[in-house]
Amino acid sequence: MYSYVSLAKGFGILLVIAGHFTTVKYAPGFYNAFRDWIYAFHMPLFMSLSGFLFAYSLKRSSGQLPFWSFVRKKFTRLMVPYFFVSAVIALIKWYFPKGRIVNYGYLTDLLYMNVGGVAVFLWFLYALFLIFLIAAVFVQFKRGHMAMGVVALPLFFMTLPDVFFLSYVKVYLLYFWLGMCLFMAADKKVLRLSLKEMWVALLLFIPVYACRTMGHDGFLRNLENLLCGTLCSYAVICFCNYLNRYTSVIQKSILHVGKQSAAIYLMHMAGVSLVCVWYEKLAVFTPLTYLVALIVAVIMGVGLSLLANKYLVSSNKYVNWLMGGN
């Protein structure tokens, strides 16, 4: 019924991969500008979609959410692959030392902190699990959805420590809640997710994004981030709702990528890292060669992930469990 959500996930994961293609030796100006735009909304988009689907599942279950079974399911889905992929990356870094050294401190930090490096993207799994946990607590109560918003809004503007990824949770809890609101508004036809609404969101996004580039701090910076993330995420969802009406090779491809986005997210850095190494060894640094390498990195990030998921992960029930059953 909401296949446009999978389309939005497809667009989102392609942007994630593009945003992770960073080389140490060279990056042209166009990529830096493109990456800044991506980082203004791509993770708010994913958190909003997660909240959207959470609200959808609540409606399907008539508002009933078995707390402990839900927590166990999300722990298996998110935290098991978090620890497994973290361990794999740590093992590779131990054999091929680069950047932060893998030692006792590194391994203990994995339990509650972002260790950075190649594993930096795994914060999303940890933070999303905690957000699901918080949301599950709130919906146990009458008007819990409203209470969650009352808590999430001021929390967004507060400063919290990085421990247990709280600095991420306090930001993305609000986007998750906005995604829940979006589902309820779309379900009741309050919002149509139309092209007209997309253009309105983009027209509002442009001046806010321009303000965001001015380097403001504190409350104003947080407000700019919130508006950019919300407006552009909504524009993408509206566009995907429109695109979903027309069947084409591109639409089917993005839809397939979206349905496999969880597996791609976990494994995309293998393909991206290979292209980064190849590009730096080639050492022909021009905007054109970088653009070609970027396109290849996105293709490799998606392609290798899909192949690995089909032939290595899904075919083995133990590996499949360790990867969250994607």
Side-chain angles (χ1 to χ4, degrees), residues 14 17-18 257 264 268 271-272 275 291-307:
L14 292 175
I17 298 172
V257 168
I264 294 172
H268 73 278
V272 173
V275 179
L291 177 60
V292 173
L294 174 62
I295 294 171
V296 173
V298 173
I299 294 172
M300 290 286 285
V302 172
L304 289 182
S305 298
L306 291 177
L307 289 172

Side-chain angles (χ1 to χ4, degrees), residues 86-101:
S86 294
V88 171
I89 291 174
L91 185 63
I92 294 172
K93 285 175 65 66
W94 184 68
Y95 274 104
F96 305 99
K98 185 179 179 181
R100 184 176 175 182
I101 298 174

